[in-house]
Amino acid sequence: MSDLACPHCRGTVPRGASVCRGCQAEVEYGAPTFAILFVAIVSAVLGVKTSGAVPESLSFLSWVVGVGCFVAGSLLLRKIFKDRVNFKRIYRTK
Ligand SMILES: [Zn+2]
């Protein structure tokens, strides 16, 4: 467990914190949203393709394929982006 350095205010943020105390930047860990979205879309497409390829009595397979791909993809993303930390500074107007 080591502190992270905020790129916006140069302050230190304890690993695991969700907000920077110095500048209120949001701290995001793990896979970026677009990567998760990409996995979800690919899984859905594969599921739909499977449902078109198998007889109706085996239509449950499309769910198995779709959900299976999503779970596998999510685990893969978690592995790839294990050490990724992203500071998102939102300029709030009050
Ligand atoms: Zn900061």
Side-chain angles (χ1 to χ4, degrees):
M1 292 290 262
S2 58
D3 284 357
L4 305 163
C6 174
H8 300 292
C9 68
R10 309 267 163 222
T12 54
V13 182
R15 188 175 282 272
S18 57
V19 177
C20 171
R21 281 172 296 185
C23 66
Q24 310 301 310
E26 279 186 44
V27 190
E28 187 186 66
Y29 302 91
T33 311
F34 75 86
I36 296 165
L37 212 64
F38 178 75
V39 168
I41 291 167
V42 169
S43 306
V45 168
L46 284 172
V48 168
K49 279 204 180 297
T50 305
S51 74
V54 296
E56 206 171 324
S57 58
L58 292 173
S59 61
F60 73 92
L61 275 176
S62 62
W63 287 100
V64 174
V65 169
V67 173
C69 283
F70 185 69
V71 171
S74 302
L75 289 174
L76 194 68
L77 286 180
R78 201 184 292 183
K79 220 177 160 105
I80 295 170
F81 295 103
K82 188 164 62 79
D83 294 321
R84 177 182 172 275
V85 182
N86 183 35
F87 285 81
K88 282 191 294 187
R89 179 121 181 224
I90 299 158
Y91 295 91
R92 293 192 176 90
T93 47
K94 279 183 181 170

